[in-house]
Amino acid sequence: MELLQRHCPTCSSSELKVHVTYATQHHGSRTLYRCADCRAYFSETKNTLLEGLRKPLSLIWRVLQARSEGLGKNATARTFGISKNTVRHWEQRCADLKPVLFLYSLVHAFLQLVIEGDEAYTKVKKNVPPDQSEGWTLLLMDRASRFIWTLECGKKDRKLFEQAIQTLEQIIQNSEDLTLLTDGERRYGNLLFEICWELIRNGKPGRPKKTLKKGVKVRIKNKGSQAHQKGPKRPKYQAPWEEHPETEQPLEEKQIHANHAEAFFSALRRNCSPYRRKTNTYAKSTAGLQRLLDVYWVIHNFIRIHFTTKKVPAVALGVIDQPLSVRELFLMQVA
């Protein structure tokens, strides 16, 4: 697997030879490599999560697993007898894997993707009205595999949605057919149209018509009661902008929903302490909340088997052939 291929930290060469294997106190055997090109020596932990860490790998994994299954930071530190700074440091190490794994996922080509978009709300720092909170979390998730493409938090403004739509544009470049289904938030479709459009030239006089790119479909559920609305009623599900005439439309109305994204947020409220509704748990900062979400993204997509598909989401999507073990994940080079 290219994702696990080791490179020389000095010259980036992959021509490596095993120099020596030695025993450690907590991590079993370790390997020293020698680069055939620049003749540099380096350990297998160089530029990995485990570089400079002396605690056992089993303890680090149990701490991160506890954090991704609902235990708060203070409670985790008390339970495992470590400091809060250590918990934060290990979380950041794991979160640093997200850019590497995300870029690796983007280089794959996909025939067809159905992506659901939804948002959830939590409190950051103090209790403020929802429109002022920095705890809004935006999700873009592949329906079939449950692979999470975007899990970003911040204020519910244009900037947050633009980050998600720019990610979506990158996915569109590697997909022949992409469908985006959202539950009432029109900014998804509007921003996607601003970024991802093309002109239809049919030889007729006048300006060419703007549509979404070929193969891209967007469906939004119209919320609210229309009982007292005057004039023609809006359809229950609607395309916010005109789509390319050659785009196939195989979706039936019963398939247009964001139920899987809503189910994910229900699980997140159980597995991530800042999102609980029955307790007064607040995230202390947006940076800390995003760090925890990045840890959740890595574990959900590449390690944890989804209870519905019975597969790791990255395997179900075809990004990797088999699930990553904890050791493989922690020994993956990030630079």
Side-chain angles (χ1 to χ4, degrees):
M1 191 185 301
E2 293 180 4
L3 188 61
L4 303 176
Q5 189 174 7
R6 202 163 298 282
H7 300 277
C8 173
T10 304
C11 66
S12 300
S13 172
S14 57
E15 298 295 326
L16 308 176
K17 295 181 180 180
V18 175
H19 176 65
V20 68
T21 301
Y22 61 97
T24 63
Q25 185 176 2
H26 297 297
H27 300 282
S29 61
R30 287 274 175 81
T31 303
L32 278 179
Y33 291 96
R34 176 176 175 270
C35 177
D37 292 342
C38 68
R39 301 183 181 276
Y41 295 87
F42 64 96
S43 172
E44 65 179 344
T45 61
K46 185 68 175 177
N47 293 339
T48 69
L49 261 68
L50 289 179
E51 183 178 5
L53 298 182
R54 297 184 178 181
K55 293 290 186 181
L57 174 58
S58 58
L59 174 61
I60 299 172
W61 168 240
R62 281 188 284 124
V63 168
L64 294 177
Q65 194 175 28
R67 287 291 283 140
S68 69
E69 291 183 356
L71 204 60
K73 184 166 65 176
N74 292 346
T76 302
R78 290 194 303 268
T79 301
F80 293 96
I82 55 180
S83 71
K84 291 187 292 183
N85 288 338
T86 300
V87 176
R88 187 186 304 115
H89 180 60
W90 291 353
E91 284 181 6
Q92 188 58 57
R93 288 283 185 100
C94 186
D96 289 342
L97 283 175
K98 182 184 176 182
V100 178
L101 295 171
F102 179 76
L103 289 175
Y104 182 79
S105 303
L106 275 181
V107 301
H108 292 74
F110 307 102
L111 295 177
Q112 186 179 28
L113 291 176
V114 178
I115 293 179
E116 296 184 8
D118 205 356
E119 314 86 39
Y121 160 73
T122 189
K123 301 169 185 177
V124 176
K125 298 179 185 176
K126 57 183 179 180
N127 192 7
V128 295
D131 60 332
Q132 299 176 20
S133 174
E134 297 180 356
W136 281 97
T137 304
L138 196 149
L139 168 75
L140 292 179
M141 181 175 69
D142 178 59
R143 173 180 286 182
S145 65
R146 308 301 200 274
F147 186 91
I148 299 174
W149 285 105
T150 294
L151 193 60
E152 303 287 338
C153 69
K155 269 193 170 183
K156 194 178 180 181
D157 54 13
R158 182 183 177 92
K159 181 180 178 181
L160 181 63
F161 283 87
E162 278 183 344
Q163 291 176 353
I165 295 305
Q166 285 168 1
T167 299
L168 197 61
E169 184 196 18
Q170 294 176 291
I171 302 171
I172 289 171
Q173 304 301 328
N174 297 335
S175 174
E176 296 182 10
D177 188 304
L178 186 139
T179 304
L180 173 64
L181 306 172
T182 73
D183 201 6
E185 182 54 70
R186 292 183 169 269
R187 274 181 283 193
Y188 290 107
N190 294 339
L191 289 174
L192 181 62
F193 187 76
E194 289 181 19
I195 296 174
C196 180
W197 57 268
E198 63 179 270
L199 294 173
I200 302 298
R201 303 183 185 276
N202 51 16
K204 296 181 181 180
R207 291 183 178 180
K209 187 184 295 185
K210 268 187 179 182
T211 68
L212 286 167
K213 282 189 176 181
K214 181 181 177 182
V216 179
K217 299 182 285 293
V218 181
R219 294 292 181 275
I220 292 174
K221 181 179 180 181
N222 286 318
K223 290 186 174 181
S225 173
Q226 300 184 36
H228 305 290
Q229 179 183 341
K230 296 181 180 179
K233 306 298 183 188
R234 294 183 300 173
K236 185 175 182 181
Y237 302 104
Q238 188 177 11
W241 291 94
E242 191 165 349
E243 295 166 356
H244 196 283
E246 297 180 14
T247 298
E248 296 182 3
Q249 305 289 343
L251 278 177
E252 300 177 5
E253 274 209 0
K254 63 180 181 180
Q255 297 176 311
I256 304 175
H257 59 78
N259 296 347
H260 301 88
E262 292 172 1
F264 170 80
F265 279 127
S266 296
L268 189 68
R269 294 194 185 281
R270 297 190 301 270
N271 297 336
C272 198
S273 58
Y275 290 89
R276 291 202 190 115
R277 284 175 170 163
K278 293 184 179 180
T279 59
N280 228 1
T281 307
Y282 289 56
K284 293 192 175 178
S285 67
T286 307
L289 180 61
Q290 185 61 58
R291 183 178 63 245
L292 182 57
L293 290 174
D294 289 346
V295 172
Y296 197 92
W297 187 93
V298 171
I299 294 176
H300 172 91
N301 281 340
F302 289 89
I303 291 185
R304 186 175 292 156
I305 296 175
H306 197 276
F307 74 98
T308 301
T309 63
K310 308 302 180 187
K311 293 182 179 179
V312 173
V315 176
L317 188 62
V319 173
I320 53 178
D321 299 327
Q322 57 188 10
L324 295 177
S325 68
V326 176
R327 181 175 176 80
E328 287 174 337
L329 184 74
F330 277 63
L331 289 177
M332 187 184 304
Q333 290 182 317
V334 295

